[in-house]
PDB file of all heavy atoms in Angstrom:
ATOM      1  N   ARG Z 740    -215.962-161.451-124.015  1.00 74.00           N
ATOM      2  CA  ARG Z 740    -217.301-160.855-123.982  1.00 74.00           C
ATOM      3  C   ARG Z 740    -217.998-161.106-125.311  1.00 74.00           C
ATOM      4  O   ARG Z 740    -217.355-161.223-126.354  1.00 74.00           O
ATOM      5  CB  ARG Z 740    -217.217-159.348-123.756  1.00 74.00           C
ATOM      6  CG  ARG Z 740    -216.580-158.941-122.465  1.00 74.00           C
ATOM      7  CD  ARG Z 740    -216.572-157.444-122.293  1.00 74.00           C
ATOM      8  NE  ARG Z 740    -216.340-156.771-123.566  1.00 74.00           N
ATOM      9  CZ  ARG Z 740    -215.804-155.576-123.701  1.00 74.00           C
ATOM     10  NH1 ARG Z 740    -215.441-154.909-122.654  1.00 74.00           N
ATOM     11  NH2 ARG Z 740    -215.622-155.029-124.869  1.00 74.00           N
ATOM     12  N   SER Z 741    -219.316-161.122-125.262  1.00 73.00           N
ATOM     13  CA  SER Z 741    -220.042-161.240-126.525  1.00 73.00           C
ATOM     14  C   SER Z 741    -219.863-159.928-127.292  1.00 73.00           C
ATOM     15  O   SER Z 741    -219.774-158.853-126.704  1.00 73.00           O
ATOM     16  CB  SER Z 741    -221.518-161.526-126.278  1.00 73.00           C
ATOM     17  OG  SER Z 741    -222.110-160.469-125.559  1.00 73.00           O
ATOM     18  N   ARG Z 742    -219.768-160.050-128.599  1.00 66.00           N
ATOM     19  CA  ARG Z 742    -219.537-158.887-129.446  1.00 66.00           C
ATOM     20  C   ARG Z 742    -220.811-158.073-129.602  1.00 66.00           C
ATOM     21  O   ARG Z 742    -221.843-158.605-129.990  1.00 66.00           O
ATOM     22  CB  ARG Z 742    -219.062-159.332-130.844  1.00 66.00           C
ATOM     23  CG  ARG Z 742    -217.833-160.198-130.905  1.00 66.00           C
ATOM     24  CD  ARG Z 742    -216.528-159.476-130.800  1.00 66.00           C
ATOM     25  NE  ARG Z 742    -216.411-158.267-131.535  1.00 66.00           N
ATOM     26  CZ  ARG Z 742    -215.506-158.035-132.467  1.00 66.00           C
ATOM     27  NH1 ARG Z 742    -214.658-158.952-132.806  1.00 66.00           N
ATOM     28  NH2 ARG Z 742    -215.425-156.870-133.053  1.00 66.00           N
ATOM     29  N   GLN Z 743    -220.728-156.789-129.315  1.00 68.00           N
ATOM     30  CA  GLN Z 743    -221.883-155.914-129.508  1.00 68.00           C
ATOM     31  C   GLN Z 743    -222.145-155.658-130.987  1.00 68.00           C
ATOM     32  O   GLN Z 743    -223.245-155.312-131.378  1.00 68.00           O
ATOM     33  CB  GLN Z 743    -221.656-154.582-128.789  1.00 68.00           C
ATOM     34  CG  GLN Z 743    -221.581-154.719-127.286  1.00 68.00           C
ATOM     35  CD  GLN Z 743    -221.373-153.375-126.624  1.00 68.00           C
ATOM     36  OE1 GLN Z 743    -221.790-152.348-127.132  1.00 68.00           O
ATOM     37  NE2 GLN Z 743    -220.721-153.384-125.479  1.00 68.00           N
ATOM     38  N   SER Z 744    -221.122-155.842-131.794  1.00 67.00           N
ATOM     39  CA  SER Z 744    -221.220-155.508-133.211  1.00 67.00           C
ATOM     40  C   SER Z 744    -221.866-156.605-134.052  1.00 67.00           C
ATOM     41  O   SER Z 744    -222.145-156.386-135.223  1.00 67.00           O
ATOM     42  CB  SER Z 744    -219.828-155.200-133.770  1.00 67.00           C
ATOM     43  OG  SER Z 744    -219.250-154.136-133.062  1.00 67.00           O
ATOM     44  N   THR Z 745    -222.133-157.784-133.474  1.00 72.00           N
ATOM     45  CA  THR Z 745    -222.729-158.865-134.267  1.00 72.00           C
ATOM     46  C   THR Z 745    -224.130-158.511-134.745  1.00 72.00           C
ATOM     47  O   THR Z 745    -224.580-159.026-135.765  1.00 72.00           O
ATOM     48  CB  THR Z 745    -222.775-160.190-133.475  1.00 72.00           C
ATOM     49  OG1 THR Z 745    -223.467-159.964-132.255  1.00 72.00           O
ATOM     50  CG2 THR Z 745    -221.385-160.717-133.192  1.00 72.00           C
ATOM     51  N   LYS Z 746    -224.812-157.606-134.057  1.00 78.00           N
ATOM     52  CA  LYS Z 746    -226.171-157.228-134.464  1.00 78.00           C
ATOM     53  C   LYS Z 746    -226.205-156.577-135.848  1.00 78.00           C
ATOM     54  O   LYS Z 746    -227.239-156.569-136.504  1.00 78.00           O
ATOM     55  CB  LYS Z 746    -226.799-156.302-133.424  1.00 78.00           C
ATOM     56  CG  LYS Z 746    -226.085-154.965-133.273  1.00 78.00           C
ATOM     57  CD  LYS Z 746    -226.680-154.139-132.152  1.00 78.00           C
ATOM     58  CE  LYS Z 746    -225.889-152.870-131.939  1.00 78.00           C
ATOM     59  NZ  LYS Z 746    -226.299-152.175-130.738  1.00 78.00           N
ATOM     60  N   TYR Z 747    -225.082-156.059-136.297  1.00 85.00           N
ATOM     61  CA  TYR Z 747    -225.039-155.400-137.599  1.00 85.00           C
ATOM     62  C   TYR Z 747    -224.979-156.389-138.769  1.00 85.00           C
ATOM     63  O   TYR Z 747    -225.166-156.014-139.904  1.00 85.00           O
ATOM     64  CB  TYR Z 747    -223.847-154.439-137.677  1.00 85.00           C
ATOM     65  CG  TYR Z 747    -223.913-153.336-136.647  1.00 85.00           C
ATOM     66  CD1 TYR Z 747    -222.983-153.274-135.623  1.00 85.00           C
ATOM     67  CD2 TYR Z 747    -224.910-152.368-136.697  1.00 85.00           C
ATOM     68  CE1 TYR Z 747    -223.045-152.268-134.671  1.00 85.00           C
ATOM     69  CE2 TYR Z 747    -224.975-151.364-135.751  1.00 85.00           C
ATOM     70  CZ  TYR Z 747    -224.036-151.319-134.743  1.00 85.00           C
ATOM     71  OH  TYR Z 747    -224.103-150.323-133.801  1.00 85.00           O
ATOM     72  N   ARG Z 748    -224.712-157.654-138.489  1.00 84.00           N
ATOM     73  CA  ARG Z 748    -224.629-158.662-139.547  1.00 84.00           C
ATOM     74  C   ARG Z 748    -225.935-158.760-140.334  1.00 84.00           C
ATOM     75  O   ARG Z 748    -225.915-158.902-141.542  1.00 84.00           O
ATOM     76  CB  ARG Z 748    -224.251-160.033-138.993  1.00 84.00           C
ATOM     77  CG  ARG Z 748    -222.786-160.148-138.689  1.00 84.00           C
ATOM     78  CD  ARG Z 748    -222.347-161.588-138.487  1.00 84.00           C
ATOM     79  NE  ARG Z 748    -220.917-161.644-138.725  1.00 84.00           N
ATOM     80  CZ  ARG Z 748    -220.357-161.890-139.900  1.00 84.00           C
ATOM     81  NH1 ARG Z 748    -221.080-162.154-140.936  1.00 84.00           N
ATOM     82  NH2 ARG Z 748    -219.048-161.889-140.020  1.00 84.00           N
ATOM     83  N   ASP Z 749    -227.072-158.684-139.642  1.00 84.00           N
ATOM     84  CA  ASP Z 749    -228.365-158.765-140.328  1.00 84.00           C
ATOM     85  C   ASP Z 749    -228.647-157.506-141.143  1.00 84.00           C
ATOM     86  O   ASP Z 749    -229.255-157.578-142.208  1.00 84.00           O
ATOM     87  CB  ASP Z 749    -229.499-158.984-139.319  1.00 84.00           C
ATOM     88  CG  ASP Z 749    -229.447-160.372-138.699  1.00 84.00           C
ATOM     89  OD1 ASP Z 749    -228.905-161.286-139.349  1.00 84.00           O
ATOM     90  OD2 ASP Z 749    -229.943-160.532-137.571  1.00 84.00           O
ATOM     91  N   ILE Z 750    -228.202-156.374-140.662  1.00 86.00           N
ATOM     92  CA  ILE Z 750    -228.455-155.105-141.344  1.00 86.00           C
ATOM     93  C   ILE Z 750    -227.615-154.994-142.624  1.00 86.00           C
ATOM     94  O   ILE Z 750    -228.088-154.517-143.649  1.00 86.00           O
ATOM     95  CB  ILE Z 750    -228.147-153.919-140.400  1.00 86.00           C
ATOM     96  CG1 ILE Z 750    -229.053-153.990-139.171  1.00 86.00           C
ATOM     97  CG2 ILE Z 750    -228.301-152.588-141.122  1.00 86.00           C
ATOM     98  CD1 ILE Z 750    -228.658-153.041-138.044  1.00 86.00           C
ATOM     99  N   PHE Z 751    -226.374-155.455-142.562  1.00 90.00           N
ATOM    100  CA  PHE Z 751    -225.443-155.306-143.688  1.00 90.00           C
ATOM    101  C   PHE Z 751    -225.033-156.670-144.248  1.00 90.00           C
ATOM    102  O   PHE Z 751    -223.851-156.940-144.447  1.00 90.00           O
ATOM    103  CB  PHE Z 751    -224.199-154.532-143.237  1.00 90.00           C
ATOM    104  CG  PHE Z 751    -224.492-153.140-142.734  1.00 90.00           C
ATOM    105  CD1 PHE Z 751    -224.410-152.859-141.380  1.00 90.00           C
ATOM    106  CD2 PHE Z 751    -224.841-152.126-143.610  1.00 90.00           C
ATOM    107  CE1 PHE Z 751    -224.667-151.574-140.903  1.00 90.00           C
ATOM    108  CE2 PHE Z 751    -225.104-150.852-143.150  1.00 90.00           C
ATOM    109  CZ  PHE Z 751    -225.017-150.568-141.792  1.00 90.00           C
ATOM    110  N   LYS Z 752    -226.006-157.538-144.504  1.00 89.00           N
ATOM    111  CA  LYS Z 752    -225.727-158.915-144.955  1.00 89.00           C
ATOM    112  C   LYS Z 752    -224.825-158.957-146.181  1.00 89.00           C
ATOM    113  O   LYS Z 752    -223.909-159.776-146.258  1.00 89.00           O
ATOM    114  CB  LYS Z 752    -227.026-159.649-145.261  1.00 89.00           C
ATOM    115  CG  LYS Z 752    -227.789-160.067-144.046  1.00 89.00           C
ATOM    116  CD  LYS Z 752    -229.058-160.795-144.424  1.00 89.00           C
ATOM    117  CE  LYS Z 752    -229.868-161.064-143.178  1.00 89.00           C
ATOM    118  NZ  LYS Z 752    -231.160-161.629-143.461  1.00 89.00           N
ATOM    119  N   ASP Z 753    -225.081-158.097-147.151  1.00 90.00           N
ATOM    120  CA  ASP Z 753    -224.289-158.122-148.384  1.00 90.00           C
ATOM    121  C   ASP Z 753    -222.835-157.719-148.147  1.00 90.00           C
ATOM    122  O   ASP Z 753    -221.934-158.173-148.841  1.00 90.00           O
ATOM    123  CB  ASP Z 753    -224.925-157.245-149.462  1.00 90.00           C
ATOM    124  CG  ASP Z 753    -225.347-155.873-148.957  1.00 90.00           C
ATOM    125  OD1 ASP Z 753    -225.380-155.653-147.726  1.00 90.00           O
ATOM    126  OD2 ASP Z 753    -225.664-155.012-149.791  1.00 90.00           O
ATOM    127  N   ILE Z 754    -222.586-156.908-147.148  1.00 94.00           N
ATOM    128  CA  ILE Z 754    -221.221-156.474-146.831  1.00 94.00           C
ATOM    129  C   ILE Z 754    -220.467-157.568-146.075  1.00 94.00           C
ATOM    130  O   ILE Z 754    -219.257-157.732-146.244  1.00 94.00           O
ATOM    131  CB  ILE Z 754    -221.243-155.175-145.984  1.00 94.00           C
ATOM    132  CG1 ILE Z 754    -221.969-154.059-146.724  1.00 94.00           C
ATOM    133  CG2 ILE Z 754    -219.843-154.747-145.601  1.00 94.00           C
ATOM    134  CD1 ILE Z 754    -221.395-153.686-148.063  1.00 94.00           C
ATOM    135  N   THR Z 755    -221.188-158.320-145.257  1.00 94.00           N
ATOM    136  CA  THR Z 755    -220.517-159.353-144.462  1.00 94.00           C
ATOM    137  C   THR Z 755    -219.837-160.388-145.351  1.00 94.00           C
ATOM    138  O   THR Z 755    -218.824-160.967-144.948  1.00 94.00           O
ATOM    139  CB  THR Z 755    -221.491-160.056-143.500  1.00 94.00           C
ATOM    140  OG1 THR Z 755    -222.526-160.696-144.248  1.00 94.00           O
ATOM    141  CG2 THR Z 755    -222.085-159.081-142.514  1.00 94.00           C
ATOM    142  N   ILE Z 756    -220.354-160.584-146.547  1.00 94.00           N
ATOM    143  CA  ILE Z 756    -219.752-161.563-147.471  1.00 94.00           C
ATOM    144  C   ILE Z 756    -218.307-161.180-147.778  1.00 94.00           C
ATOM    145  O   ILE Z 756    -217.410-162.021-147.737  1.00 94.00           O
ATOM    146  CB  ILE Z 756    -220.582-161.674-148.770  1.00 94.00           C
ATOM    147  CG1 ILE Z 756    -221.969-162.247-148.439  1.00 94.00           C
ATOM    148  CG2 ILE Z 756    -219.871-162.519-149.819  1.00 94.00           C
ATOM    149  CD1 ILE Z 756    -222.980-162.098-149.566  1.00 94.00           C
ATOM    150  N   LEU Z 757    -218.060-159.919-148.077  1.00 96.00           N
ATOM    151  CA  LEU Z 757    -216.703-159.429-148.357  1.00 96.00           C
ATOM    152  C   LEU Z 757    -215.788-159.684-147.163  1.00 96.00           C
ATOM    153  O   LEU Z 757    -214.683-160.230-147.312  1.00 96.00           O
ATOM    154  CB  LEU Z 757    -216.729-157.932-148.672  1.00 96.00           C
ATOM    155  CG  LEU Z 757    -215.374-157.234-148.730  1.00 96.00           C
ATOM    156  CD1 LEU Z 757    -214.726-157.432-150.080  1.00 96.00           C
ATOM    157  CD2 LEU Z 757    -215.508-155.756-148.419  1.00 96.00           C
ATOM    158  N   TYR Z 758    -216.246-159.317-145.973  1.00 96.00           N
ATOM    159  CA  TYR Z 758    -215.419-159.467-144.778  1.00 96.00           C
ATOM    160  C   TYR Z 758    -215.241-160.927-144.379  1.00 96.00           C
ATOM    161  O   TYR Z 758    -214.182-161.315-143.890  1.00 96.00           O
ATOM    162  CB  TYR Z 758    -215.984-158.624-143.635  1.00 96.00           C
ATOM    163  CG  TYR Z 758    -215.689-157.157-143.838  1.00 96.00           C
ATOM    164  CD1 TYR Z 758    -216.646-156.298-144.367  1.00 96.00           C
ATOM    165  CD2 TYR Z 758    -214.439-156.634-143.547  1.00 96.00           C
ATOM    166  CE1 TYR Z 758    -216.373-154.955-144.576  1.00 96.00           C
ATOM    167  CE2 TYR Z 758    -214.151-155.297-143.752  1.00 96.00           C
ATOM    168  CZ  TYR Z 758    -215.129-154.464-144.269  1.00 96.00           C
ATOM    169  OH  TYR Z 758    -214.827-153.149-144.489  1.00 96.00           O
ATOM    170  N   ASP Z 759    -216.260-161.751-144.588  1.00 96.00           N
ATOM    171  CA  ASP Z 759    -216.121-163.180-144.281  1.00 96.00           C
ATOM    172  C   ASP Z 759    -215.075-163.835-145.183  1.00 96.00           C
ATOM    173  O   ASP Z 759    -214.332-164.708-144.737  1.00 96.00           O
ATOM    174  CB  ASP Z 759    -217.466-163.894-144.409  1.00 96.00           C
ATOM    175  CG  ASP Z 759    -218.437-163.530-143.291  1.00 96.00           C
ATOM    176  OD1 ASP Z 759    -218.000-162.928-142.283  1.00 96.00           O
ATOM    177  OD2 ASP Z 759    -219.635-163.843-143.431  1.00 96.00           O
ATOM    178  N   LYS Z 760    -214.988-163.396-146.421  1.00 97.00           N
ATOM    179  CA  LYS Z 760    -213.953-163.928-147.329  1.00 97.00           C
ATOM    180  C   LYS Z 760    -212.563-163.491-146.871  1.00 97.00           C
ATOM    181  O   LYS Z 760    -211.603-164.263-146.939  1.00 97.00           O
ATOM    182  CB  LYS Z 760    -214.224-163.491-148.771  1.00 97.00           C
ATOM    183  CG  LYS Z 760    -215.399-164.215-149.387  1.00 97.00           C
ATOM    184  CD  LYS Z 760    -215.652-163.777-150.805  1.00 97.00           C
ATOM    185  CE  LYS Z 760    -216.852-164.520-151.369  1.00 97.00           C
ATOM    186  NZ  LYS Z 760    -217.209-164.063-152.706  1.00 97.00           N
ATOM    187  N   ILE Z 761    -212.450-162.262-146.415  1.00 97.00           N
ATOM    188  CA  ILE Z 761    -211.180-161.783-145.856  1.00 97.00           C
ATOM    189  C   ILE Z 761    -210.801-162.655-144.662  1.00 97.00           C
ATOM    190  O   ILE Z 761    -209.662-163.111-144.543  1.00 97.00           O
ATOM    191  CB  ILE Z 761    -211.289-160.293-145.440  1.00 97.00           C
ATOM    192  CG1 ILE Z 761    -211.370-159.411-146.690  1.00 97.00           C
ATOM    193  CG2 ILE Z 761    -210.123-159.885-144.542  1.00 97.00           C
ATOM    194  CD1 ILE Z 761    -211.706-157.959-146.403  1.00 97.00           C
TER     195      ILE Z 761
END
Side-chain angles (χ1 to χ4, degrees):
R740 299 182 323 206
S741 62
R742 304 279 317 239
Q743 295 181 29
S744 301
T745 55
K746 64 185 175 190
Y747 299 113
R748 282 195 158 269
D749 290 334
I750 299 168
F751 299 107
K752 285 180 186 174
D753 47 347
I754 302 301
T755 61
I756 295 166
L757 169 83
Y758 285 99
D759 289 347
K760 287 180 181 176
I761 289 171

